[in-house]
Amino acid sequence: MRYSRSLADLRRADEAGFGAKSASLGELLAAEIPVPDGFALGTDAYRAFVAQAGLAPLIERQLEALEPDDVQSVHSACAEIVAAFGRAPVPEDVKREIADGYQQLAAGVGDQPALAVRSSALGEDSQTATFAGQQETFLWVRGVAGVTAAVRDCWASLYSPTAVSYRARAASEHPEPAMGVAVQVMVDAAVSGVMFTCNPVTGDPSTIAINASWGLGEAVVAGEVTPDEYLLSKVTGELLRERIGAKLIEHVPAVEGTGTAVQDVAPERRDVACLSASDHRTLVHLAGRIERHFGGHQDVEWAIARGQTASDGLFVVQSRPVTTVPKREQPPKPASAIELVMSTFGAGSKPRGS
């Protein structure tokens, strides 16, 4: 296969050819973390599409003409590029590999499986990147034609106004834009959310922070709901803090069988915790395994399949390094050994009022 590989075959060394997201999913599978089955298209497929369609001159012309600080200029240039992507055909050999990958997944889960098509841009989800989430993800996609169209739309999202503006400000820090794509079997999530293997607010490495809500994960990631918030001890699994959010909406599969829809959460479920104590323990254990494998704090997106608990239906759909953890304040170093002893036992402090 020239343009694609099974996710299970990817490792960190493949990041330059497939993007960080796809490479990370391969690493998770290597660590025997539960990840939905899938395949990845490499950046060579994107480059073949651009070359065959003759899009490079248009892209260059539009980007050179725009003014990064002029919102209208950026939007106009991006609209021209995205429209051109939408008109351009996907190369036949790339389409064949998408079809082969789809059929292999269908053989494992049934005819016309619902898939997630996720952008995996170069540089995204890296140790220093801050532009994760700027590119598109498409959920509940069915059929070879649907997946092919979603792949092309992922490629086009390299030229969203947000992504183009970011690259214009940080051109020297990131490589020339190119896009890999991860294609995975969908998880029909009853509950989903994000998990940080440290406290993202304080930087405390001994705790795990979890946000969770009903349905598919978009509501949490996009900030459309007030999710349940849990803070747990990484060492003991103890629940240190809990705040149950008013989860007013949820994303669910569309009734047509393709795409997703937003529906109101039934009033009796809105203020009910969507994770149990058993779910907490399973997530804490999983967080430790993921963090040990990558050797650093991770921001993990996860989902629990409908009708199952975390112990038997938990899947990881993405893991990226945490890049914005604040440094914890360190206490001042004692000037001498005796000062250390005195401060440890509370001696040497001034009386009140002095």
Side-chain angles (χ1 to χ4, degrees):
M1 304 292 277
R2 177 182 176 187
Y3 295 110
S4 62
R5 285 166 60 185
S6 168
L7 286 175
D9 292 337
L10 298 182
R11 298 293 184 270
R12 291 185 212 192
D14 297 304
E15 183 175 329
F18 288 85
K21 187 176 298 179
S22 294
S24 174
L25 290 169
E27 285 286 341
L28 290 167
L29 285 163
E32 299 183 344
I33 303 296
V35 170
D37 193 15
F39 65 93
L41 282 173
T43 55
D44 283 349
Y46 164 80
R47 294 189 176 101
F49 167 74
V50 170
Q52 180 173 300
L55 293 170
L58 169 68
I59 295 171
E60 184 178 358
R61 184 168 64 251
Q62 291 295 333
L63 295 183
E64 285 181 349
L66 68 79
E67 296 291 337
D69 296 325
D70 182 341
V71 174
Q72 183 57 45
S73 172
V74 172
H75 278 261
S76 177
C78 291
E80 290 287 339
I81 296 171
V82 170
F85 271 58
R87 294 189 297 266
V90 174
E92 287 299 322
D93 46 357
V94 175
K95 289 169 64 174
R96 281 194 296 271
E97 293 199 23
I98 292 173
D100 289 344
Y102 189 87
Q103 294 307 321
Q104 289 177 24
L105 293 178
V109 298
D111 188 40
Q112 292 290 299
L115 304 183
V117 182
R118 307 179 187 279
S119 300
S120 182
L122 289 187
E124 184 185 20
D125 297 350
S126 68
Q127 291 288 344
T128 58
T130 58
F131 63 102
Q134 290 181 6
Q135 279 78 45
E136 291 286 357
T137 287
F138 300 93
L139 302 182
W140 233 263
V141 182
R142 292 187 190 270
V144 173
V147 173
T148 302
V151 166
R152 182 173 55 191
D153 289 342
C154 283
W155 291 337
S157 70
L158 271 176
Y159 297 97
S160 70
T162 302
V164 167
S165 297
Y166 174 84
R167 290 197 300 269
R169 293 192 300 270
S172 62
E173 300 177 21
H174 298 287
E176 177 184 354
M179 174 75 74
V181 180
V183 181
Q184 295 178 276
V185 174
M186 275 297 310
V187 178
D188 183 8
V191 182
S192 54
V194 297
M195 171 170 64
F196 294 86
T197 66
C198 63
N199 188 321
V201 177
T202 66
D204 183 358
S206 69
T207 56
I208 292 169
I210 299 173
N211 285 359
S213 192
W214 302 117
L216 302 171
E218 291 95 326
V220 175
V221 174
E224 297 174 344
V225 295
T226 303
D228 294 349
E229 297 181 358
Y230 308 92
L231 190 68
L232 299 111
S233 168
K234 188 183 295 182
V235 179
T236 66
E238 177 188 2
L239 178 62
L240 304 175
R241 188 170 69 240
E242 176 184 70
R243 187 179 75 176
I244 305 304
K247 303 170 286 295
L248 302 181
I249 65 168
E250 61 180 333
H251 288 248
V252 297
V255 293
E256 299 83 2
T258 300
T260 62
V262 178
Q263 68 180 22
D264 293 336
V265 173
E268 63 270 18
R269 296 170 62 226
R270 292 176 180 174
D271 299 319
V272 175
C274 57
L275 293 178
S276 67
S278 175
D279 295 333
H280 295 165
R281 291 191 292 271
T282 302
L283 283 162
V284 168
H285 177 68
L286 183 70
R289 290 176 60 196
I290 294 173
E291 186 175 70
R292 286 191 296 274
H293 180 77
F294 286 108
H297 300 313
Q298 293 285 302
D299 168 4
V300 180
E301 293 184 24
W302 52 269
I304 301 174
R306 195 172 303 279
Q308 297 180 280
T309 64
S311 62
D312 56 8
L314 175 64
F315 292 89
V316 173
V317 297
Q318 188 168 313
S319 186
R320 64 169 70 95
V322 176
T323 58
T324 57
V325 178
K327 292 183 178 180
R328 303 183 73 195
E329 291 187 8
Q330 298 295 323
K333 294 182 179 180
S336 63
I338 188 63
E339 184 177 330
L340 173 61
V341 173
M342 297 293 281
S343 63
T344 300
F345 290 96
S349 57
K350 292 183 179 180
R352 292 182 182 272
S354 62

